[in-house]
Amino acid sequence: DSGVTQTPKHLITATGQRVTLRCSPRSGDLSVYWYQQSLDQGLQFLIQYYNGEERAKGNILERFSAQQFPDLHSELNLSSLELGDSALYFCASSFSGTANYGYTFGSGTRLTVV
Amino acid sequence: ILNVEQSPQSLHVQEGDSTNFTCSFPSSNFYALHWYRWETAKSPEALFVMTLNGDEKKKGRISATLNTKEGYSYLYIKGSQPEDSATYLCAFINYGQNFVFGPGTRLSVLP
């Protein structure tokens, strides 16, 4: 157990629907990062939050949004889902808002859009 | 677009062999380089965080070097064991905190 908790582990939903993925960072970590791994693709950075504020943005679609709450857990909202959104979504956390520390990854949420 | 490459794409070695692989990244605006180990059905695990040109880090039989001027990092595994079988990812971070993972090197260590 890495200390980063992601729920749910698996999610199957239909096209056009909206889902929320949840991440609780490791105790003491202030930053949360979201990554997407699609079939045959590497890990793609989506977005980072640090202590409640958006810190960096990667290749995140406009249909996707995220937030980090006062208790530091984060949610990634995916709407108007398409078949191509099927992927493994990872959350990672780190102590600082910069890359001076390695990131601790959760076990991921596998999203299947049918 | 930040381009991070890793070579080889995959590698098969015998138990006891030493091996190394390469991560290539942009040589400008460098902030940090991370190495991760990713076993099948698990999540990536941090190995090293490297920030200074010439950095060398070691953890047991695994070590890494960094050359920020020419934009590469090497990961070495001495005396490979079957439990070293995994995908090894590097990630390049620039001063804009853009974080880009390489595609990984898949290592298989045969007993």
Side-chain angles (χ1 to χ4, degrees):
Chain A
D1 181 8
S2 67
V4 177
T5 304
Q6 287 189 250
T7 56
K9 289 196 183 314
H10 301 276
L11 197 48
I12 301 175
T13 191
T15 53
Q17 294 298 304
R18 181 180 192 274
V19 297
T20 298
L21 312 184
R22 184 189 166 102
C23 170
S24 294
R26 194 179 58 161
S27 178
D29 284 354
L30 300 175
S31 266
V32 169
Y33 308 81
W34 287 98
Y35 292 89
Q36 179 193 55
Q37 190 201 17
S38 304
L39 196 63
D40 295 333
Q41 299 253 336
L43 282 167
Q44 301 292 319
F45 169 62
L46 296 178
I47 198 163
Q48 176 202 356
Y49 280 83
Y50 175 72
N51 207 19
E53 305 268 333
E54 183 183 305
R55 175 62 71 99
K57 215 166 187 175
N59 300 321
I60 187 165
L61 299 171
E62 284 191 15
R63 299 183 286 109
F64 296 1
S65 65
Q67 54 184 326
Q68 187 179 29
F69 295 86
D71 67 352
L72 301 177
H73 90 271
S74 177
E75 292 180 357
L76 179 68
N77 300 297
L78 315 175
S79 61
S80 303
L81 285 166
E82 302 173 0
L83 295 177
D85 298 327
S86 296
L88 189 53
Y89 291 84
F90 281 105
C91 163
S93 73
S94 72
F95 172 71
S96 80
T98 60
N100 300 87
Y101 297 85
Y103 301 167
T104 301
F105 281 79
S107 55
T109 293
R110 183 168 293 283
L111 173 67
T112 304
V113 182
V114 296
Chain B
I1 296 177
L2 298 173
N3 198 29
V4 179
E5 296 176 348
Q6 290 187 247
S7 61
Q9 186 175 10
S10 64
L11 193 54
H12 297 263
V13 302
Q14 288 295 135
E15 182 175 353
D17 286 351
S18 293
T19 187
N20 65 85
F21 15 95
T22 307
C23 172
S24 301
F25 51 84
S27 56
S28 61
N29 212 18
F30 175 89
Y31 184 85
L33 187 91
H34 293 193
W35 279 100
Y36 290 84
R37 181 170 176 272
W38 193 359
E39 287 182 75
T40 304
K42 295 189 177 179
S43 45
E45 174 193 346
L47 287 174
F48 304 114
V49 175
M50 310 180 81
T51 56
L52 298 175
N53 184 44
D55 250 356
E56 290 189 29
K57 300 256 176 154
K58 190 173 180 192
K59 193 183 225 181
R61 294 180 291 99
I62 306 177
S63 59
T65 60
L66 178 68
N67 183 323
T68 61
K69 293 187 188 308
E70 295 180 44
Y72 65 84
S73 175
Y74 293 138
L75 189 80
Y76 301 91
I77 302 179
K78 188 176 175 183
S80 303
Q81 299 296 308
E83 58 264 31
D84 296 328
S85 297
T87 296
Y88 291 83
L89 297 170
C90 67
F92 165 80
I93 305 97
N94 65 12
Y95 266 99
Q97 295 296 305
N98 296 115
F99 193 103
V100 180
F101 273 98
T105 292
R106 185 184 294 275
L107 174 68
S108 297
V109 182
L110 307 171

